Amino acid sequence: MSGDVVTAVELTKRYRRKEVPAVDGVSFSIAEGETIGLLGPNGAGKTTLIKMICGVTPPTTGRIRVLGADPVRDPVAAKNGVGAMHQTGPYDEMLSALDNLQIAARFRGLSWRAAAPWALEVAEYLGLKDALSQLVFQLSGGQRQRLQLVRALLTIPRLLILDEPSAGLDVAGRHQVERFVRWLRSDHGVTVLWTSHHIDELERNSQRVLVIDRGKVLRYAHPKDLVREFGGAHLVVTVDDEVAGKVVTEWAETAGYVAEAGDTEVRIEGAVAQDVLPALTRHCQDSGVAISGVATVTDSLERVFLRMTENKG
């Protein structure tokens, strides 16, 4: 089956005693099989938007369709093919992880006998299978996060909503989840809506990124297109110590560039190597400090996002 899994038209959500809408005239669509990154600062409206997609809260105005159905008026049709992993979820802390999965299956009208083979396969892939017998309160933060993902995947959904799936995971755990989600998309055609504070995750895995701020859509495009439109190149000068870094930074600022110094690197915004290196090299030689290396680096999606959302309003 092909087509749009989610369609939103002029979607607005207003809360009482709030002058500014949480979501303000948002329109977008998500095609079958896409992974979409949902990106915005805290308070941008991401959680409200996810709640409307899940049918938890109705829009004030506008229209939303999930799998062709209204998630508020026809929740069974809209939610039957949706799996959602939220940042936090209710567990019975004094029951085992396995018991919690069985309870979740019953709430969704699933037979545990039918759901178990797939759910246990997911748990094993995520390194959680040996912990299923433990009481939930005994689980680490990373294990609880993985349990959230298993619970969202008791069946293979058409739409998987991931709300900060890597929170509490180490780097290895983050990449493990990424590989698993890519496999779901490539082998099972799962559509993914993914929000994360680890913007590099979205840059690596999203076909498009929906950037929202103050309830409005800023852009909806491929990460590379966002970097091309809002980003740029900068020069990274590697130095031996803080003294050399200070010399490079002072020269760059005197020359009219914005410079950002780290321990062993100085980032010079908008500088082109062939334009600045001769003068910078002479200045460093005259100051008795050395440059260890120079590289031209393209902006990341994270830096582009910060540039897009700073000083708005």
Side-chain angles (χ1 to χ4, degrees):
M1 185 179 295
S2 60
D4 290 337
V5 173
V6 179
T7 303
V9 180
E10 291 297 319
L11 203 61
T12 297
K13 180 65 182 182
R14 293 181 179 273
Y15 291 106
R16 291 181 180 179
R17 295 184 292 275
K18 296 286 186 180
E19 294 184 5
V20 179
V23 173
D24 190 3
V26 167
S27 298
F28 67 95
S29 62
I30 302 175
E32 189 98 27
E34 277 191 302
T35 294
I36 299 300
L38 178 57
L39 189 55
N42 292 334
K46 302 189 300 296
T47 299
T48 299
L49 185 57
I50 289 174
K51 286 181 177 179
M52 287 191 285
I53 293 172
C54 292
V56 175
T57 185
T60 305
T61 59
R63 181 172 64 90
I64 186 166
R65 294 292 181 269
V66 178
L67 303 176
D70 186 316
V72 175
R73 297 180 180 179
D74 193 1
V76 174
K79 298 177 184 180
N80 192 45
V82 177
M85 177 188 177
H86 301 290
Q87 292 186 47
T88 58
Y91 290 118
D92 190 320
E93 300 279 340
M94 297 307 295
L95 292 179
S96 70
L98 182 60
D99 287 337
N100 274 270
L101 291 178
Q102 293 172 339
I103 291 170
R106 287 198 293 271
F107 268 112
R108 293 179 60 177
L110 301 172
S111 160
W112 177 246
R113 178 175 294 180
W118 168 251
L120 295 178
E121 182 180 343
V122 173
E124 183 171 16
Y125 179 89
L126 295 175
L128 191 64
K129 191 171 183 180
D130 292 340
L132 291 179
S133 61
Q134 295 181 36
L135 302 182
V136 168
F137 84 88
Q138 296 175 314
L139 300 179
S140 68
Q143 288 173 324
R144 293 167 71 102
Q145 193 73 354
R146 290 181 175 91
L147 184 61
Q148 286 271 56
L149 183 53
V150 177
R151 185 164 62 177
L153 289 167
L154 291 172
T155 61
I156 302 175
R158 285 182 60 193
L159 171 65
L160 175 62
I161 298 173
L162 298 174
D163 190 4
E164 301 291 345
S166 60
L169 299 180
D170 59 18
V171 173
R174 286 176 55 196
H175 284 278
Q176 183 185 46
V177 169
E178 287 185 51
R179 289 192 299 271
F180 180 67
V181 174
R182 286 196 295 267
W183 174 76
L184 285 174
R185 176 176 176 266
S186 63
D187 284 31
H188 296 280
V190 175
T191 304
V192 182
L193 176 62
W194 187 336
T195 179
S196 177
H197 283 100
H198 295 290
I199 300 177
D200 57 310
E201 291 178 350
L202 305 184
E203 187 168 18
R204 285 191 296 268
N205 295 288
S206 302
Q207 281 69 61
R208 289 188 287 171
V209 176
L210 180 66
V211 185
I212 65 173
D213 190 21
R214 302 178 189 271
K216 294 180 179 292
V217 174
L218 299 185
R219 286 289 275 117
Y220 190 27
H222 191 283
K224 289 184 179 178
D225 292 333
L226 292 175
V227 170
R228 189 179 302 115
E229 181 176 352
F230 294 96
H234 55 271
L235 209 61
V236 174
V237 181
T238 305
V239 294
D240 294 331
D241 51 41
E242 291 185 9
V243 174
K246 185 176 181 180
V247 169
V248 172
T249 301
E250 290 176 346
W251 177 89
E253 292 174 345
T254 301
Y257 294 101
V258 174
E260 181 181 317
D263 291 337
T264 59
E265 289 184 345
V266 178
R267 172 193 174 99
I268 306 176
E269 295 283 353
V272 179
Q274 64 186 27
D275 294 339
V276 305
L277 272 183
L280 175 58
T281 301
R282 286 194 301 271
H283 179 75
C284 288
Q285 289 174 343
D286 293 342
S287 302
V289 300
I291 294 175
S292 303
V294 177
T296 300
V297 180
T298 303
D299 278 333
S300 65
L301 180 62
E302 179 174 3
R303 188 165 286 270
V304 165
F305 165 69
L306 293 174
R307 185 173 294 134
M308 292 176 69
T309 56
E310 67 184 358
N311 300 323
K312 296 291 182 181

